[in-house]
């Protein structure tokens, strides 16, 4: 992800799918574990925004709990508002991948501006959370063209409300970032979720 370009995409994908803070959907506070986290680029070979590396540990990742992550990536263009984000969320059911529809802005949804999603997570004017400032990584649009990296860093994942329909199972998430009808980058994430 990065210089927040790709960490941003990852954060937007994960938080938009799990946080649910603007959703009135029935929520349940659960302890959860993420197992078998994997990722890959799914854009064209010449895509402007590319994640080059992403490592997370431990496996499983506990929520709430500690997470260690490192990432690097690059963008050959400035990423500025509006940045469209098309998310496809699928769950494996009886050996088949089933697309989860967009339910109150969660699931397989189109977001008109990923920059707005970031502003919901970290309001404008609020300091970026550590360790981003330590490494000169922004947390708001625009993201200047360039190469970015986040050295191995520790994070704490707080307790969060999970929507009632986000049950145990295997999930795939694909996020396609775009601007003015042009695809800028694509990222696929696979994981298994286990919650109490």
């Amino acid at each position: 992800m990065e210089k927040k370009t790709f960490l941003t995409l990852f954060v937007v994908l994960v938080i938009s799918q799990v946080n649910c803070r603007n959703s009135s959907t029935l929520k349940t506070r659960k302890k959860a574990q993420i197992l078998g986290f994997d990722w890959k680029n799914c854009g064209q070979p010449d895509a402007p925004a590319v994640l080059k590396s992403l490592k997370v540990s431990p496996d499983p990742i506990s929520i709430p709990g500690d997470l260690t992550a490192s990432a690097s990536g690059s963008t050959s263009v400035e990423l500025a508002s509006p940045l469209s984000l098309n998310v496809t969320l699928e769950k494996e059911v009886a050996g088949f991948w089933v697309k989860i529809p967009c339910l109150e802005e969660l699931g397989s949804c189109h977001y008109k501006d990923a920059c707005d999603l970031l502003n919901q997570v970290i309001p404008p004017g609020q300091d970026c959370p550590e360790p981003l400032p330590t490494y000169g990584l922004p947390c708001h649009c625009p993201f200047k063209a360039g190469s970015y990296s986040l050295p191995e860093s520790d994070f704490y994942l707080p307790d969060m409300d999970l929507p009632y329909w986000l049950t145990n199972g295997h999930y795939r998430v694909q996020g396609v970032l775009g601007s003015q009808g042009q695809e800028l980058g694509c990222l696929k994430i696979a994981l298994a979720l286990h919650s109490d």
Side-chain angles (χ1 to χ4, degrees):
M1 312 190 82
E2 302 193 359
K3 181 164 186 178
K4 197 53 199 178
T5 287
F6 300 98
L7 188 53
T8 294
L9 179 56
F10 176 69
V11 167
V12 167
L13 286 173
V14 172
I15 291 184
S16 70
Q17 297 308 308
V18 178
N19 192 13
C20 308
R21 50 190 212 149
N22 292 325
S23 174
S24 61
T25 303
L26 177 63
K27 296 175 255 184
T28 306
R29 187 164 293 274
K30 302 175 184 178
K31 292 189 178 190
Q33 288 188 322
I34 296 173
L35 303 98
F37 179 89
D38 193 24
W39 68 275
K40 69 177 181 176
N41 288 300
C42 49
Q44 298 297 320
D46 60 347
V50 179
L51 179 62
K52 295 180 179 179
S53 69
L54 173 62
K55 294 180 184 176
V56 295
S57 63
D59 187 5
I61 299 165
S62 293
I63 302 172
D66 295 315
L67 167 72
T68 300
S70 63
S72 66
S74 65
T75 178
S76 61
V77 299
E78 181 178 78
L79 301 178
S81 183
L83 288 174
S84 66
L85 177 62
N86 285 310
V87 175
T88 303
L89 176 62
E90 298 175 303
K91 181 179 182 181
E92 186 177 24
V93 178
F96 296 96
W97 288 99
V98 177
K99 184 176 177 179
I100 296 174
C102 189
L103 303 170
E104 297 192 25
E105 297 190 29
L106 298 171
S108 298
C109 301
H110 171 75
Y111 302 97
K112 291 182 179 181
D113 194 358
C115 297
D116 287 343
L117 292 176
L118 283 176
N119 290 340
Q120 291 174 25
V121 176
I122 305 167
Q126 181 177 318
D127 291 339
C128 295
E130 284 296 338
L132 301 180
T134 299
Y135 299 111
L137 303 177
C139 59
H140 294 287
C141 297
F143 302 104
K144 295 180 180 178
S147 295
Y148 300 102
S149 67
L150 176 70
E152 189 171 284
S153 302
D154 295 324
F155 298 89
Y156 178 74
L157 299 175
D159 218 2
M160 61 183 66
D161 291 328
L162 299 176
Y164 73 93
W165 49 263
L166 195 61
T167 58
N168 294 342
H170 293 269
Y171 291 87
R172 297 191 304 201
V173 181
Q174 176 175 294
V176 179
L177 195 64
S179 179
Q180 300 176 348
Q182 178 187 6
E183 183 177 310
L184 300 177
C186 178
L187 184 66
K188 284 187 178 180
I189 297 171
L191 55 87
L193 177 67
H194 177 78
S195 59
D196 298 333

